[in-house]
Amino acid sequence: MHSQRYKRFLTCLALAGVYYLSGKMGLALAFIYPTATTIWPPSGIALAALLLLGWRCLPGIALGALLVNLGIGNPWPVALGIAAGNALEALTAYLLLIRVCRFRNPMERMRDVLALVFPAALGATLVSAVLGPLCLGLGGDMAWSQYFDVLLIWWVGDGLGILVVTPFLLTWARRPFWPTQPRERLELITLVGMVTLLALLVFELPSLFEHWPKLQPIYLYTLSYALFALLIWIAIRHRPREIGLLNLILAGIAVWGTVCGMGPFATASTAQSMLLLQGFLAVMVVTSLSLAAANSERLHTEWRLLASEQRFRDVVNAAGEYVWEVDGDLRYRYLSERVETALGYPPQALLGRQPLDLVPAAERQQLRDWLGELRRRGWGSASLELRMLRGDGELAWQRLSAMPIRGAGNEVVGLRGTGLDITERKRAQDHIERLATRDPLTGLANRPLLLDRLQHAIHAARRKRRRLALLCIDLDRFKTINDSLGHPIGDELLKAVALRLQDCLSQEDSVARLGGDEFVVILEEMHSVADAGLLARRLLAAVDRPYQVDGHTLNSTCSIGISLYPNDGEDGQTLLRNADAALYHAKGLGRNNYQFFSPQLSERALERLRLENDLRLALERGEFELWYQPQRELESGRLVAAEALLRWHHPERGLLAPGVFMAIAEETGLIQPIGEWVLRQACHQQRQWSEQGFDWLRLAVNLSVVQFNGALEQRVQAALRDSGADPRRLEFEIIESALLQNTGENIRILRRLSALGSGLAIDDFGTGYSALSYLKRFPIDALKIDRSFVRDLRVSADDAAIIGAIIALAHSLDLRVVAEGVETQEQLHKLRELGCCDGQGHLLGGACPAAEFTQRFLSTMAVEHEVARSAPSPR
């Protein structure tokens, strides 16, 4: 800010100095009165400064005017009055030009020249011309009888100052003063030399004819007209930039010569000499500036026309379409260059020919009728697609659009339109039509083709009185692979599955992809129901083999639902719906199996749909609640943790455990908002228990496979931040199958969660695709033994051996072990013998709401925990 003010101050000082020097120069050329000059240069300098620098330089103008008037001996009041008039004149001219006339530099429009002449040079200068002589008269420095003479000379002098000096400064301020091109420099020097020489001959050298006084007037007036003609010629050929400089040179020479008593205007009367000179200069300057502006406008107009024409050519030639015109005889009279790309002919080769010459004989009548109707009826516009013969002999599809050309009597005298090569589009349409019945990813039949084939198969089965089977196939947990590894990996897996399904079928059978990970097989050659089961087992085995996709080893299974014709439906839609119901039944039985349709499955499918719809509304209705199950040290029985378990208070079915609805939540994607709600509720409960003094309690929260992605850390941090929970008292449980997909990314997610201070546990350990080598890479704190191993612990030596191995492995890795499903004393005793740390189950305490958990477990354990909290936990 200070730097800008300093620069503005220096600018005003510099402007005041320039104004003062130019004023002294102008006063040196005064004719009648010391302050009445032929041209007052400071008025032009002041207006140019305001137009170039803005109104903030006005103080510099006022200061310069004051210094000029004080320098010639005017008293302070007179000097202040004249200076105020000069500053006010410049400000008035500036406001009139900018606000009223919309003046635009560099004066290349006629309206800008007229604005400079009338509002500025003739209008605003009256302010100074009236105030200046008035101040002189009031100060006693001028006789009142001279007032109007001085006013007129003052007025014209200020006006000429604006007309001569302002254009020069405006046109030369925005560009380099000296032209950069050698040709332009030479041309400028020549023009300056010509005008200077001729002006000197007119105004400075009349003494050449002092011995021939009769010839002197002829000489002066002849050269004066020659000078005027030269300036006019220059103005017609050049722009205001050059004219501004030449006018300044001419005015300087003319004023100096006239003051010295030379030139055509040096008469006996000085007042008359000044008026004649001012009139000459005014006419010369205004005429030359007007002609230069008109020339600039002409050049701009020509340039715009040429640019528009070139732009039209460029647009026409760059567009995909070519432009054509035909006359009344339907012969080409114009073709754009683009026609050579579309048809292979240069435009000149087609002029005079008819479009019919380029059309195959079989299609000429169609084009002839179309062109004839356009010409006779004068349609507004119409289009036609047909094939035309290219220059290389090939046929290319063209889309012709046309509209009539009308003559003076509104009759149609020709046609004008565009043409576009649409051969590739036609080929693409044919390709799309071929693909309309195929799945773009796998190449299998899509739904429309499947329904068509199924309808034909049903007709054939009805005619031959035989059965057919419809198998609906859906990949198990495909969404997990898609979400964790990305859609490209999922797409490659779908392609591999499609190939394996095709390999299992005969040529008579059909397979289609309905969308997503759902496939359908039509089994036509079926001798008995057992054939459908045999094919289903073959498909299950084929899909179950491991896949190698982009460096990943993937394991996937499928579930299959089977419906039979005519037992389960006599049309395709019914068979599909019933096979789909059987498919969901197979998924409900644990996946990786097949099931035949039965009438009871329709009701189950309907019930599942109702449950899904209710689940979508359960969260916003507040029907979910968290229950908490205690985890205890098996050796001491001391309460060490609680696991948060989700419960759904269904309005009709009552309290539902996660096993009833969790699979639906994962398949529909509802697990994301539900899981986030569980996380936030658990964090709030942990904060509440900590505030009640139970800050030693560890709270375990389950994470779904679908939740386990890159956004998990942000969700956990948000829940901790909003609730104020202690992350060190939280433990997240993840099933091991979720960790073995996209292992590298999962390790990074687990490490970020561990960095928060939270514990991590592998849930249902031993039931998934266990890869023990990963345990040393994952930042795991605990292993949870699945209840299926604990259930038969007393009667199954294998289960006891597995649990013992898990415990030994965990101890070697310094991991805590938690046994799930502890229901009996025998199980508890055996787990103690095997060295299990912690456990949970109905024997150790059932799940209950938070308030009941606080009363039943926390309140009773508070005292003994205070005694035992300092003792180390046994492992």
Side-chain angles (χ1 to χ4, degrees):
M1 182 63 71
H2 294 290
S3 176
Q4 292 180 354
R5 290 179 179 176
Y6 182 69
K7 290 180 180 179
R8 194 180 304 132
F9 175 73
L10 292 180
T11 301
C12 289
L13 284 182
L15 180 58
V18 172
Y19 192 101
Y20 175 78
L21 293 176
S22 63
K24 296 294 287 184
M25 180 183 68
L27 292 173
L29 301 176
F31 269 62
I32 304 173
Y33 194 78
T35 57
T37 64
T38 307
I39 297 178
W40 183 241
S43 62
I45 293 173
L47 180 57
L50 288 175
L51 291 173
L52 293 173
L53 305 176
W55 62 270
R56 294 181 183 275
C57 66
L58 190 62
I61 296 173
L63 177 60
L66 179 62
L67 293 176
V68 170
N69 285 277
L70 290 175
I72 61 176
N74 284 328
W76 271 95
V78 175
L80 284 173
I82 296 176
N86 291 336
L88 188 59
E89 170 195 288
L91 181 61
T92 303
Y94 168 74
L95 294 177
L96 287 174
L97 290 178
I98 297 300
R99 299 293 177 83
V100 179
C101 301
R102 306 295 182 187
F103 182 83
R104 189 174 67 192
N105 195 29
M107 295 183 57
E108 294 186 342
R109 301 182 304 174
M110 181 64 74
R111 59 177 295 180
D112 297 329
V113 174
L114 295 178
L116 192 69
V117 172
F118 291 102
L122 295 181
T125 51
L126 279 172
V127 176
S128 178
V130 170
L131 290 178
L134 183 62
C135 292
L136 290 175
L138 292 175
D141 296 331
M142 181 192 73
W144 287 107
S145 60
Q146 296 179 302
Y147 178 80
F148 288 104
D149 293 336
V150 173
L151 184 151
L152 178 61
I153 297 174
W154 196 311
W155 180 31
V156 177
D158 281 11
L160 281 176
I162 289 177
L163 293 177
V164 173
V165 178
T166 300
F168 168 73
L169 294 177
L170 291 181
T171 55
W172 286 79
R174 298 291 175 88
R175 298 181 183 177
F177 189 83
W178 189 244
T180 57
Q181 299 297 327
R183 183 185 64 81
E184 294 179 353
R185 288 198 294 267
L186 179 61
E187 185 176 6
L188 181 61
I189 292 173
T190 302
L191 294 175
V192 170
M194 292 172 60
V195 171
T196 303
L197 177 61
L198 198 55
L200 289 174
L201 289 174
V202 174
F203 292 99
E204 301 292 340
L205 301 175
S207 58
L208 294 175
F209 293 86
E210 59 183 0
H211 300 293
W212 298 282
K214 293 183 179 180
L215 294 179
Q216 187 171 354
I218 300 175
Y219 159 77
L220 290 177
Y221 287 111
T222 301
L223 288 183
S224 298
Y225 284 114
L227 178 62
F228 187 82
L230 175 63
L231 203 62
I232 297 303
W233 177 80
I234 294 174
I236 292 175
R237 295 180 55 87
H238 294 82
R239 295 193 177 185
R241 175 179 166 88
E242 290 79 8
I243 293 302
L245 175 62
L246 297 178
N247 281 335
L248 184 67
I249 294 173
L250 173 61
I253 296 175
V255 172
W256 177 257
T258 305
V259 169
C260 295
M262 293 178 288
F265 307 115
T267 62
S269 171
T270 55
Q272 186 179 6
S273 297
M274 176 177 286
L275 290 177
L276 289 174
L277 177 61
Q278 287 178 331
F280 171 78
L281 292 177
V283 172
M284 184 76 73
V285 170
V286 172
T287 303
S288 61
L289 287 176
S290 301
L291 290 176
N295 179 53
S296 295
E297 286 188 336
R298 178 184 61 81
L299 293 176
H300 279 297
T301 302
E302 291 179 357
W303 181 85
R304 284 195 298 268
L305 290 176
L306 290 174
S308 298
E309 183 179 353
Q310 186 61 43
R311 187 159 50 247
F312 172 75
R313 291 197 187 99
D314 293 342
V315 169
V316 169
N317 293 328
E321 298 179 327
Y322 60 90
V323 180
W324 56 269
E325 286 186 8
V326 295
D327 57 20
D329 296 329
L330 300 181
R331 296 185 181 277
Y332 286 120
R333 66 182 185 187
Y334 172 77
L335 285 156
S336 65
E337 297 177 4
R338 193 70 180 181
V339 72
E340 187 167 2
T341 303
L343 292 176
Y345 297 97
Q348 297 77 9
L350 295 178
L351 295 179
R353 299 179 62 181
Q354 292 185 327
L356 294 171
D357 299 338
L358 306 179
V359 178
E363 301 179 26
R364 287 181 182 176
Q365 189 59 41
Q366 179 186 7
L367 178 60
R368 188 179 292 110
D369 294 341
W370 182 69
L371 293 174
E373 288 295 323
L374 274 174
R375 185 176 54 179
R376 287 192 300 272
R377 299 188 180 183
W379 295 338
S381 62
S383 60
L384 176 69
E385 293 183 0
L386 78 167
R387 293 181 302 165
M388 299 184 75
L389 194 65
R390 288 177 49 86
D392 56 8
E394 298 291 332
L395 288 174
W397 278 96
Q398 303 288 314
R399 185 185 67 194
L400 302 179
S401 299
M403 61 185 306
I405 303 174
R406 299 187 180 277
N410 203 33
E411 74 281 4
V412 177
V413 296
L415 300 173
R416 178 186 295 119
T418 60
L420 178 65
D421 187 353
I422 58 172
T423 305
E424 292 301 323
R425 195 194 74 184
K426 283 289 187 180
R427 291 174 181 170
Q429 286 179 348
D430 295 340
H431 185 61
I432 290 172
E433 290 176 0
R434 289 194 300 270
L435 293 178
T437 55
R438 294 287 174 179
D439 173 55
L441 179 64
T442 62
L444 300 179
N446 59 9
R447 180 181 288 272
L449 182 56
L450 168 71
L451 294 176
D452 183 67
R453 288 181 177 178
L454 182 57
Q455 190 64 31
H456 284 291
I458 290 174
H459 288 322
R462 183 181 297 118
R463 185 175 62 254
K464 296 179 182 180
R465 298 181 181 275
R466 67 185 186 190
R467 296 179 176 180
L468 67 83
L470 192 69
L471 290 78
C472 277
I473 307 166
D474 191 83
L475 298 184
D476 298 330
R477 304 190 186 279
F478 174 74
K479 191 175 187 304
T480 303
I481 297 175
N482 228 12
D483 292 342
S484 59
L485 299 182
H487 291 280
I489 300 297
D491 290 345
E492 293 300 320
L493 176 61
L494 290 175
K495 292 178 184 179
V497 170
L499 291 175
R500 293 188 184 183
L501 295 179
Q502 288 178 297
D503 291 340
C504 295
L505 303 179
S506 63
Q507 294 183 351
E508 293 79 11
D509 302 328
S510 300
V511 59
R513 178 179 176 231
L514 295 188
D517 58 337
E518 187 175 0
F519 300 86
V520 174
V521 171
I522 303 175
L523 178 59
E524 294 190 54
E525 296 296 328
M526 187 177 71
H527 301 287
S528 65
V529 176
D531 292 342
L534 180 63
L535 176 60
R537 288 192 294 272
R538 199 159 61 242
L539 294 173
L540 288 172
V543 173
D544 192 33
R545 297 197 306 270
Y547 300 84
Q548 297 295 328
V549 178
D550 196 21
H552 299 274
T553 300
L554 304 178
N555 294 280
S556 181
T557 60
C558 67
S559 301
I560 302 176
I562 306 173
S563 62
L564 303 174
Y565 170 85
N567 305 54
D568 303 327
E570 296 186 356
D571 61 87
Q573 293 294 347
T574 303
L575 289 174
L576 276 172
R577 184 172 60 252
N578 292 338
D580 197 53
L583 170 65
Y584 277 108
H585 181 52
K587 285 184 173 291
L589 294 178
R591 297 180 171 84
N592 196 22
N593 68 92
Y594 69 91
Q595 295 295 321
F596 285 90
F597 173 77
S598 65
Q600 294 79 13
L601 295 182
S602 294
E603 183 62 28
R604 293 180 185 175
L606 183 60
E607 286 299 317
R608 184 188 183 281
L609 180 60
R610 291 173 181 167
L611 191 64
E612 179 182 332
N613 292 334
D614 292 341
L615 187 60
R616 294 182 183 276
L617 301 175
L619 193 59
E620 60 185 72
R621 290 176 177 174
E623 295 173 358
F624 290 117
E625 182 183 12
L626 284 188
W627 285 25
Y628 300 89
Q629 186 176 27
Q631 290 182 7
R632 298 180 181 274
E633 286 184 353
L634 297 184
E635 190 65 31
S636 64
R638 183 167 60 91
L639 179 66
V640 293
E643 180 180 2
L645 301 173
L646 183 62
R647 296 292 185 267
W648 180 12
H649 291 281
H650 193 278
E652 297 176 0
R653 303 187 182 190
L655 190 65
L656 299 180
V660 179
F661 59 86
M662 193 56 68
I664 299 176
E666 290 183 348
E667 291 174 7
T668 58
L670 293 173
I671 189 62
Q672 287 285 14
I674 294 175
E676 188 167 352
W677 179 88
V678 169
L679 177 61
R680 289 182 175 274
Q681 288 295 112
C683 288
H684 280 289
Q685 187 59 57
Q686 193 278 331
R687 171 65 182 273
Q688 184 177 348
W689 279 334
S690 295
E691 292 176 348
Q692 294 174 358
F694 309 119
D695 56 346
W696 45 266
L697 183 68
R698 187 174 61 252
L699 184 59
V701 181
N702 289 282
L703 294 177
S704 168
V705 176
V706 181
Q707 291 177 268
F708 207 71
N709 51 49
L712 178 60
E713 181 188 6
Q714 288 77 8
R715 294 191 180 99
V716 171
Q717 288 180 336
L720 291 171
R721 183 176 58 253
D722 296 342
S723 63
D726 185 357
R728 296 171 299 175
R729 294 303 175 187
L730 290 177
E731 184 172 78
F732 297 106
E733 297 185 1
I734 308 102
I735 61 174
E736 60 177 326
S737 59
L739 301 179
L740 301 183
Q741 300 280 358
N742 198 15
T743 308
E745 177 63 21
N746 291 342
I747 291 176
R748 287 190 288 271
I749 294 174
L750 289 177
R751 286 177 177 171
R752 289 196 291 266
L753 291 178
S754 179
L756 296 176
S758 302
L760 300 170
I762 296 181
D763 198 10
D764 300 337
F765 186 77
T767 60
Y769 306 98
S770 299
L772 302 182
S773 61
Y774 287 149
L775 290 180
K776 63 182 181 180
R777 299 173 57 192
F778 291 129
I780 301 299
D781 300 290
L783 300 178
K784 297 191 71 175
I785 302 174
D786 187 68
R787 64 180 66 248
S788 62
F789 297 112
V790 177
R791 183 176 55 247
D792 299 327
L793 185 60
R794 295 293 297 175
V795 297
S796 174
D798 293 338
D799 287 344
I802 291 174
I803 291 177
I806 293 174
I807 293 172
L809 174 65
H811 287 174
S812 65
L813 295 175
D814 197 23
L815 301 178
R816 193 176 70 257
V817 182
V818 182
E820 295 184 297
V822 181
E823 311 291 343
T824 66
Q825 289 292 339
E826 291 81 3
Q827 294 170 347
L828 177 60
H829 180 69
K830 187 63 177 177
L831 288 170
R832 286 173 175 170
E833 289 182 354
L834 294 173
C836 184
C837 305
D838 304 330
Q840 69 182 82
H842 287 293
L843 181 65
L844 304 177
C848 57
E852 184 178 346
F853 186 90
T854 303
Q855 183 179 1
R856 287 179 54 190
F857 302 111
L858 292 179
S859 298
T860 58
M861 290 294 296
V863 177
E864 59 183 271
H865 183 80
E866 287 297 328
V867 176
R869 69 186 301 173
S870 60
S873 300
R875 286 194 178 273

